[in-house]
Amino acid sequence: LYCRKSSRDFDSKQISFSHLSDLLHYSNGYKDPAKGTKFAPSTGGFKSVELFVIAFSVEGLPAGIYHYDAPQHSLVPLHKGLYQTWVKQHVFYQQEYGQASLVLVMASNMSKLKKKYGLRSYRLGLLDVGHVSQNLYLIATALGLKACASAGFIDHELDDALHLDGQNMSSLLTMIIG
């Protein structure tokens, strides 16, 4: 906790697939799949947070955009290719983010929350994303990785790339890691 901080000075260093796996598993994965419990708390047990990976430089993982399938602890490819320029020029307008190893996108499936919580679903989705982002910060710190959360992105660019409708399922926060 004392070492956790936001860093923006990324150096295009490749990270290991093992580190990415740990980031995904311990932030929003299942600690007990049989009981359905995750490492991050979740409003009403609805598990509303979905993680997406925009991989630039991860050992053994082709560059591209992936969805993290938490129950299977696996990555599902959405788009292959290099996305650094797109991230710098169309998503964040921040050059240093293109020097990171990857971007994690935290999205909320508010349609799950709306069934029980109605209008409060947006607020609760934000809280759920906050729990996952804090886990990500702590795990990145423990692994010796630099991390920076950012909500300063162009929503429709990310949502379109991730096949999210921006209403029932929307990107809410990103974590740039390197």
Side-chain angles (χ1 to χ4, degrees), residues 92-162:
F92 293 110
Y93 301 115
Q94 305 232 8
Q95 296 301 310
E96 65 269 23
Y97 292 167
Q99 302 304 313
S101 303
L102 60 96
V103 175
L104 293 175
V105 180
M106 290 159 269
S108 177
N109 187 339
M110 286 175 268
S111 64
K112 287 182 177 181
L113 298 171
K114 284 179 186 176
K115 294 174 188 174
K116 183 173 182 179
Y117 300 106
L119 295 175
R120 288 187 180 264
S121 61
Y122 182 69
R123 179 190 310 176
L124 298 170
L126 290 169
L127 290 170
D128 287 351
V129 163
H131 296 309
V132 172
S133 72
Q134 184 62 20
N135 281 2
L136 283 168
Y137 261 122
L138 295 174
I139 297 157
T141 301
L143 295 173
L145 300 171
K146 296 174 184 175
C148 183
S150 177
F153 55 85
I154 307 302
D155 298 47
H156 72 87
E157 285 285 340
L158 271 182
D159 287 346
D160 289 349
L162 303 175

Side-chain angles (χ1 to χ4, degrees), residues 16-72:
S16 72
F17 187 81
S18 175
H19 280 5
L20 172 59
S21 178
D22 287 345
L23 286 164
L24 296 169
H25 178 67
Y26 294 113
S27 66
N28 199 40
Y30 285 85
K31 65 179 170 183
D32 189 342
K35 292 182 181 177
T37 56
K38 286 186 152 190
F39 287 99
S42 174
T43 300
F46 284 108
K47 301 167 188 70
S48 68
V49 178
E50 295 289 337
L51 290 179
F52 295 85
V53 178
I54 305 172
F56 303 146
S57 185
V58 178
E59 180 183 45
L61 183 67
I65 301 176
Y66 299 83
H67 173 251
Y68 174 56
D69 180 343
Q72 298 301 313

Side-chain angles (χ1 to χ4, degrees), residues 159-174:
D159 287 346
D160 289 349
L162 303 175
H163 308 293
L164 308 179
D165 66 10
Q167 300 286 319
N168 293 309
M169 182 81 147
S170 179
S171 52
L172 295 179
L173 188 64
T174 62

